[in-house]
Amino acid sequence: DENDQPQLVKVETYVAKNMTNVSLSYNDTETWATQVSNESDVDEVGELWYDKISGKLVYMTTHFSTFVLGANEVAYIEETNMAYSIEDAFTNVNSGQTITLLKNYKYASSPSYVYSQRTVYKIDLNGYILDMNNSSYGLYVLKGQTVTINDSNGTGALKNKQCVVYMVDGSNLIVNGGYLGGVTADQATIYGYGHLTVNGGKVDVAKKSGYDFYGVFVGNSSNNNTPASFILTGGEVNGGIYINGQDTENNTITITGGVMNGKSYVAGNNKTVITGGTFAGTTCFCFKSGDISISGGTFTANKGDGDWKHMDSAFAATGDAVIFEACSYPTGNLAAHITGGTFSGFKAEGGTAETS
């Protein structure tokens, strides 16, 4: 019966401009890959016409479903709707614009480094994975820049073998979403000397026999007196944070929420304010110096490595929820102000927590 036959419908829509080798697919069962020369020539399923100047796409279908668009290009710039290779996207993005991934991409060989010269720009992982595959630093955030990492589809990731993001003096990095990890070297996932804000997503480290390295290192460099900062309002940081040595003068740590797993080491003339958040590790925090105010949060030590002992320039993760221990290096007086929060230490011999 003719009435039972599916009806052909011509669809006209607009997608990203500047793409090559454009195709469509549906549920891995249908593919539109035959590009015709003229728009008017599209008259059967499997054919499409695409204009790279305007981004107009025309194809025939018998059903309205979710179609997957394919092309050679890896990313596009939202504000101009132009598609590029990943290298060209970082070159062509302008201040205030967003680079959005179109597919998973892994660099074939280690790039010298990945960066843009623009003052302010965003990266939307869009549910895809960008693997910089570099045995050195991955994404560089330059002095004076503000780079924001988003993930509009919730499954995106930014990966690298060593240090996913390196922050140059006076730079700003904002993480709102996505997974940052894949590090296999003894290096922090986010490392540098700028201002880091984590509002969402997950900053991860290689997990071997526990969190063997830190998720975040921040500080002001020895040749720059501009203080650095770390702000955690949401999301998850595995491996904790590390601030030590000469990179520690007048930095600020502000934590109002989020989750942090692993041990954190804070030394130097810093100011730390914790009003909320959930913390777990062999020792959640060891403060060696600086001004510390804690009015909220839950601190749970989940393992102990032995009895507590004084160490001048390091600390032993002994199952204490929080340690305040003055040290001779680096310099800086220790002042702690505790007005709230829940603290649970680990009792090794019984395997149960002691709460104070």
Side-chain angles (χ1 to χ4, degrees):
D1 190 323
E2 282 188 355
N3 293 328
D4 293 332
Q5 297 299 314
Q7 299 297 306
L8 277 173
V9 177
K10 179 177 285 189
V11 178
E12 299 180 1
T13 188
Y14 286 86
V15 294
K17 297 178 282 187
N18 198 44
M19 293 191 295
T20 55
N21 197 26
V22 175
S23 64
L24 282 176
S25 62
Y26 166 72
N27 203 27
D28 294 327
T29 59
E30 296 179 78
T31 301
W32 290 255
T34 303
Q35 295 198 34
V36 298
S37 300
N38 301 299
E39 180 179 351
S40 59
D41 292 337
V42 178
D43 55 15
E44 62 182 63
V45 174
E47 295 178 341
L48 59 83
W49 176 83
Y50 169 74
D51 177 36
K52 67 183 301 182
I53 303 300
S54 66
K56 186 175 183 179
L57 178 69
V58 179
Y59 63 97
M60 301 290 291
T61 184
T62 58
H63 53 87
F64 293 99
S65 307
T66 300
F67 299 95
V68 177
L69 179 68
N72 289 341
E73 286 66 31
V74 174
Y76 76 101
I77 296 174
E78 289 186 5
E79 290 73 12
T80 62
N81 202 30
M82 293 285 287
Y84 297 100
S85 67
I86 194 65
E87 295 87 353
D88 287 345
F90 277 98
T91 299
N92 285 280
V93 66
N94 287 320
S95 290
Q97 295 182 341
T98 301
I99 299 171
T100 300
L101 295 186
L102 292 170
K103 61 171 71 172
N104 295 333
Y105 183 78
K106 182 177 182 178
Y107 281 85
S109 58
S110 295
S112 55
Y113 37 97
V114 179
Y115 72 99
S116 171
Q117 295 281 8
R118 307 309 177 218
T119 304
V120 179
Y121 70 96
K122 300 177 181 178
I123 300 171
D124 183 358
L125 299 171
N126 194 27
Y128 295 108
I129 299 171
L130 177 59
D131 188 341
M132 291 163 286
N133 192 29
N134 199 331
S135 55
S136 183
Y137 299 137
L139 175 68
Y140 268 62
V141 184
L142 305 180
K143 185 174 183 177
Q145 279 189 331
T146 298
V147 177
T148 302
I149 299 175
N150 298 319
D151 182 23
S152 56
N153 279 332
T155 57
L158 188 64
K159 294 184 175 183
N160 195 38
K161 296 177 183 177
Q162 174 176 321
C163 184
V164 176
V165 183
Y166 179 80
M167 302 170 60
V168 177
D169 297 347
S171 62
N172 300 274
L173 174 66
I174 302 170
V175 180
N176 292 328
Y179 173 92
L180 279 68
V183 176
T184 57
D186 289 337
Q187 181 63 269
T189 301
I190 299 176
Y191 183 100
Y193 306 98
H195 304 282
L196 170 63
T197 300
V198 178
N199 298 316
K202 183 176 183 178
V203 179
D204 207 4
V205 292
K207 188 173 181 180
K208 302 170 188 175
S209 56
Y211 294 107
D212 293 327
F213 212 78
Y214 296 91
V216 170
F217 169 94
V218 289
N220 54 296
S221 67
S222 58
N223 59 3
N224 189 321
N225 293 323
T226 303
S229 64
F230 170 69
I231 299 173
L232 177 65
T233 68
E236 182 177 347
V237 176
N238 289 331
I241 61 174
Y242 180 88
I243 300 178
N244 187 29
Q246 61 190 357
D247 309 320
T248 62
E249 297 305 310
N250 301 311
N251 303 309
T252 59
I253 300 165
T254 305
I255 302 176
T256 62
V259 175
M260 189 178 292
N261 297 305
K263 58 186 184 290
S264 291
Y265 184 86
V266 181
N269 189 26
N270 305 298
K271 183 176 180 60
T272 301
V273 177
I274 301 175
T275 60
T278 301
F279 311 93
T282 50
T283 293
C284 301
F285 281 92
C286 178
F287 295 101
K288 306 291 281 189
S289 52
D291 187 271
I292 304 103
S293 297
I294 300 176
S295 60
T298 301
F299 304 80
T300 304
N302 52 27
K303 185 180 179 181
D305 293 337
D307 294 333
W308 180 86
K309 57 183 177 181
H310 173 71
M311 302 178 71
D312 256 349
S313 58
F315 81 101
T318 53
D320 301 288
V322 179
I323 295 173
F324 302 93
E325 180 188 12
C327 62
S328 59
Y329 174 82
T331 58
N333 295 324
L334 175 64
H337 316 278
I338 313 298
T339 59
T342 301
F343 304 87
S344 300
F346 182 81
K347 186 177 180 181
E349 60 269 25
T352 57
E354 295 177 331
T355 303
S356 59

